[in-house]
């Protein structure tokens, strides 16, 4: 059985959600499948259950949806914001420090064997690997530096599905252009195209399907009506596409949208909560109208701290009457001082922070990457830590304030209830785990209704 590459005809075409859904649907058909992305660029990562490494959320989400233990093999190379032309590089789950982006790309000969080994290791255990691509597979100036698209497709002779976002406009040009710019050796492996995020009367695209199939000679595997998932957000662009039903909401929550916000999947349980109206804001002046302010994780803590000060956030974040939760990088900003003597994150060695917590945090070369069960606010919470900052306490409670290094806290129903019942006695809460399982199954079924999965399975066996 062949493995499968999912290529987008543009960025944010829906590769991650389609990759997850196909992984889920093939698993439900009894096939032993696993998710994969050779190289990901995302500040949104999770700690794996195997080897305690970092991988991007998209592959972790796809694995967890079918009950697989997460492993760095699913995403052997991960890049995060490093400031300027720098990227923070994680290989096989472990941080190897910052590198100039062009130096990184000059090391393709060293990186390809890492990707090859991860893929081949997975092949020994799984029948089919669902390999998500990155951006467009035919960026002509970067094709020799492409690990996630052409390298995988060529090296492992994968079958290929194209995904096109019809909302972007120019869908015919994007499909035809990508297909024709693919190397001839790969065009024969294209099973077809999925036209994604359609809105309106589906019959209006009947002629479009005919054009793609008859004029372009590319099978259309399906036209998928737009359906929000609100889970597994890979980047801040996809996060901003979330939808909420706020008809019954009675608690207003603001998440400060930092320039280098990370681990924003922390807020998926709040987006799904019908009692909460969640907003992301870059404006300090309107924070007084919210019941809770959340200062989230950051990949560039000092840079984002300066940004917050410049935009006037210091006053509302230091006001003791405001309910505030600070997570990881946000937690670090709430100490009196941040020290970075080794320039782990910044050239600034000492900076005054917001001072809601006495003491200092110090950045060290050794990165804390771990999962665990934590006692937070008297509740046992499953979560994870990813940070270079060290402080005396993993969490701190003060008047109307709670801060912690731990991500994933809102997935705990009991923790969420304790927080929000203190804000509103009307808060009832819900079971996030059941919601997540139902949402995953519902979205996958939506894909199954509009994409010819049997044709894909048949193509993988040819």
């Amino acid at each position: 059985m062949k493995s499968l590459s999912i290529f987008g005809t543009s960025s944010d075409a829906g590769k991650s959600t389609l990759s997850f859904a196909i992984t889920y649907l093939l698993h439900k058909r009894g096939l032993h499948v696993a998710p994969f992305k050779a190289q990901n660029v995302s500040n949104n990562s999770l700690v794996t259950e195997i080897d305690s490494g970092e991988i991007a959320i998209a592959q972790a989400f796809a694995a967890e949806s079918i009950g697989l233990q997460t492993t760095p093999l699913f995403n052997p190379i991960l890049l995060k914001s490093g400031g300027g032309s720098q990227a923070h590089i994680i290989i096989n789950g472990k941080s190897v420090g910052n590198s100039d982006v062009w130096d990184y790309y000059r090391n393709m000969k060293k990186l390809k064997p890492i990707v090859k080994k991860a893929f081949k290791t997975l092949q020994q255990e799984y029948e089919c690997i669902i390999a998500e691509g990155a951006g467009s597979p035919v960026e002509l100036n970067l094709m020799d530096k492409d690990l996630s698209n052409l390298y995988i497709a060529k090296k492992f002779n994968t079958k290929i599905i194209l995904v096109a976002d019809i909302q972007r406009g120019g869908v015919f040009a994007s499909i035809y252009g990508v297909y024709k710019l693919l190397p001839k050796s790969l065009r024969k492996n294209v099973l077809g195209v999925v036209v994604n995020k359609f809105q309106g009367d589906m019959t209006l695209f009947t002629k479009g399907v005919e054009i793609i199939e008859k004029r372009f000679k590319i099978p259309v595997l399906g036209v998928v009506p737009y359906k929000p998932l609100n889970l597994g957000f890979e980047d801040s662009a996809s996060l901003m596409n979330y939808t909420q039903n706020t008809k019954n909401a009675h608690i207003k929550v603001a998440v400060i949208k930092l320039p280098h916000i990370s681990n924003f999947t922390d807020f998926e349980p709040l987006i799904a909560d019908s009692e909460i109206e969640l907003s992301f804001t870059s404006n300090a002046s309107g924070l007084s109208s919210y019941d809770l302010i959340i200062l989230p994780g950051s990949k560039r803590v000092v840079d984002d701290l300066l940004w917050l000060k410049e935009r006037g956030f210091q006053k509302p974040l230091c006001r003791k009457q405001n309910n505030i939760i600070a997570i990881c990088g946000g937690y670090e900003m709430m100490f009196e001082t941040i020290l970075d003597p080794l320039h782990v994150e910044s050239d600034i060695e000492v900076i005054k922070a917001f001072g809601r917590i006495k003491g200092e945090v110090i950045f060290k070369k050794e990165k804390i990457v771990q999962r665990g069960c934590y006692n937070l606010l008297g509740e046992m919470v499953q979560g994870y830590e990813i940070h270079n900052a060290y402080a005396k306490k993993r969490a701190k409670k003060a008047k109307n304030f709670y801060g912690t290094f731990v991500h994933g806290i809102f997935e705990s129903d009991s923790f969420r209830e304790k927080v929000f019942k203190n804000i509103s006695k009307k808060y009832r809460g819900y079971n996030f785990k059941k919601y997540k399982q139902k949402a995953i199954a519902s979205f996958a079924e939506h894909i199954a209704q509009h994409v010819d999965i049997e044709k894909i399975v048949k193509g993988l066996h040819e």
Side-chain angles (χ1 to χ4, degrees):
M1 186 178 189
K2 296 287 179 63
S3 289
L4 179 65
S5 289
I6 309 290
F7 290 174
T9 62
S10 65
S11 295
D12 201 32
K15 295 184 299 294
S16 294
T17 49
L18 186 67
S19 296
F20 133 71
I22 290 177
T23 302
Y24 182 91
L25 292 167
L26 295 185
H27 169 77
K28 287 295 183 182
R29 281 163 172 72
L31 297 173
H32 201 30
V33 294
F36 183 82
K37 187 163 183 174
Q39 172 190 284
N40 217 322
V41 181
S42 176
N43 286 342
N44 209 23
S45 63
L46 182 141
V47 179
T48 60
E49 294 160 295
I50 298 172
D51 294 334
S52 293
E54 285 185 73
I55 64 171
I57 285 290
Q59 284 63 59
F61 176 74
E64 290 174 348
S65 73
I66 60 173
L68 294 183
Q69 282 196 309
T70 48
T71 166
L73 293 171
F74 296 151
N75 177 210
I77 300 177
L78 174 62
L79 306 183
K80 293 186 171 185
S81 302
S85 63
Q86 296 279 304
H88 181 67
I89 302 172
I90 296 154
I91 293 179
N92 290 327
K94 305 303 179 186
S95 171
V96 297
N98 291 346
S99 172
D100 181 84
V101 172
W102 290 110
D103 286 341
Y104 168 81
Y105 280 125
R106 281 191 283 269
N107 279 326
M108 282 297 113
K109 288 183 179 179
K110 294 181 180 178
L111 297 171
K112 286 180 179 178
I114 294 167
V115 170
K116 179 181 176 182
K117 184 178 180 181
F119 197 97
K120 290 187 76 171
T121 301
L122 290 174
Q123 279 188 315
Q124 294 171 13
E125 186 174 351
Y126 298 95
E127 293 176 82
C128 178
I129 313 301
I130 310 301
E132 181 189 340
S136 163
V138 289
E139 298 296 338
L140 301 182
N141 58 322
L142 297 173
M143 285 171 79
D144 60 328
K145 300 174 179 63
D146 179 0
L147 289 173
S148 296
N149 297 300
L150 302 190
Y151 175 71
I152 292 296
K154 287 180 178 179
K155 179 63 67 175
F156 297 101
N157 195 30
T158 61
K159 296 294 185 178
I160 297 167
I161 292 176
L162 303 180
V163 189
D165 179 358
I166 197 169
Q167 289 189 6
R168 286 177 175 267
V171 70
F172 298 105
S174 70
I175 293 170
Y176 186 78
V178 167
Y179 180 75
K180 285 296 184 180
L181 288 173
L182 283 175
K184 287 183 179 180
S185 61
L186 294 185
R187 289 182 213 163
K188 62 181 175 58
N189 284 343
V190 174
L191 297 179
V193 62
V194 173
V195 178
N196 200 21
K197 303 181 187 178
F198 191 91
Q199 290 183 301
D201 184 350
M202 295 278 284
T203 61
L204 294 176
F205 201 68
T206 302
K207 181 69 174 177
V209 171
E210 185 180 321
I211 290 169
I212 295 167
E213 293 194 323
K214 291 187 176 179
R215 289 180 60 179
F216 299 172
K217 309 298 183 187
I218 305 171
V220 175
L221 298 170
V223 179
V224 180
Y226 175 73
K227 178 182 173 70
L229 177 58
N230 286 344
L231 292 170
F233 295 115
E234 183 176 33
D235 53 39
S236 56
S238 60
L239 173 68
M240 290 304 109
N241 292 327
Y242 75 92
T243 60
Q244 268 194 304
N245 181 355
T246 59
K247 181 176 63 176
N248 298 317
H250 53 88
I251 297 175
K252 293 181 67 178
V253 176
V255 177
I256 299 174
K257 190 172 181 279
L258 301 171
H260 304 95
I261 187 172
S262 67
N263 296 82
F264 31 78
T265 44
D266 280 342
F267 312 115
E268 289 176 352
L270 307 186
I271 290 172
D273 195 332
S274 63
E275 297 179 81
I276 291 173
E277 181 181 341
L278 187 79
S279 301
F280 288 82
T281 182
S282 302
N283 187 354
S285 62
L287 289 179
S288 59
S289 64
Y290 290 92
D291 302 301
L292 173 67
I293 302 166
I294 299 177
L295 186 56
S298 165
K299 185 61 190 71
R300 303 284 298 168
V301 174
V302 172
D303 289 347
D304 283 349
L305 174 61
L306 292 170
W307 179 86
L308 288 165
K309 288 180 176 180
E310 289 169 2
R311 287 182 168 250
F313 280 94
Q314 183 155 354
K315 186 175 180 180
L317 288 173
C318 292
R319 190 169 182 266
K320 293 185 179 180
Q321 288 78 7
N322 289 340
N323 292 307
I324 295 171
I325 292 180
I327 301 172
C328 199
Y331 178 48
E332 294 158 24
M333 296 180 204
M334 300 306 281
F335 282 80
E336 292 175 310
T337 310
I338 295 175
L339 306 176
D340 192 0
L342 301 177
H343 300 173
V344 175
E345 273 205 15
S346 170
D347 290 334
I348 299 174
E349 295 186 3
V350 182
I351 187 169
K352 185 178 179 182
F354 291 133
R356 282 294 299 270
I357 307 169
K358 288 185 179 181
E360 63 189 28
V361 294
I362 181 167
F363 281 93
K364 298 182 180 182
K365 291 286 186 182
E366 184 180 354
K367 195 174 190 179
I368 296 173
V369 180
Q370 64 185 33
R371 298 172 69 99
C373 188
Y374 302 88
N375 187 339
L376 303 176
L377 287 182
E379 302 294 333
M380 298 309 295
V381 176
Q382 292 287 341
Y384 61 96
E385 299 178 65
I386 304 174
H387 54 94
N388 286 91
Y390 286 70
K392 287 184 178 180
K393 291 188 177 182
R394 182 180 284 121
K396 179 71 175 177
K397 186 180 184 302
K399 181 182 179 182
N400 296 328
F401 171 82
Y402 187 76
T404 181
F405 279 122
V406 181
H407 292 287
I409 56 178
F410 293 118
E411 293 192 26
S412 165
D413 297 339
S414 59
F415 180 88
R416 227 172 36 253
E417 286 178 23
K418 179 162 283 191
V419 168
F420 291 111
K421 280 183 177 177
N422 283 337
I423 294 172
S424 170
K425 291 181 180 179
K426 296 193 321 184
Y427 185 79
R428 293 291 175 265
Y430 75 109
N431 187 314
F432 177 67
K433 185 177 181 180
K434 286 185 177 179
Y435 162 84
K436 190 172 182 178
Q437 290 172 340
K438 185 177 179 180
I440 286 170
S442 174
F443 187 86
E445 180 57 32
H446 174 72
I447 296 297
Q449 288 176 1
H450 298 283
V451 174
D452 193 340
I453 300 299
E454 296 306 324
K455 190 171 184 178
I456 293 172
V457 172
K458 184 180 178 182
L460 293 175
H461 281 96
E462 290 177 349

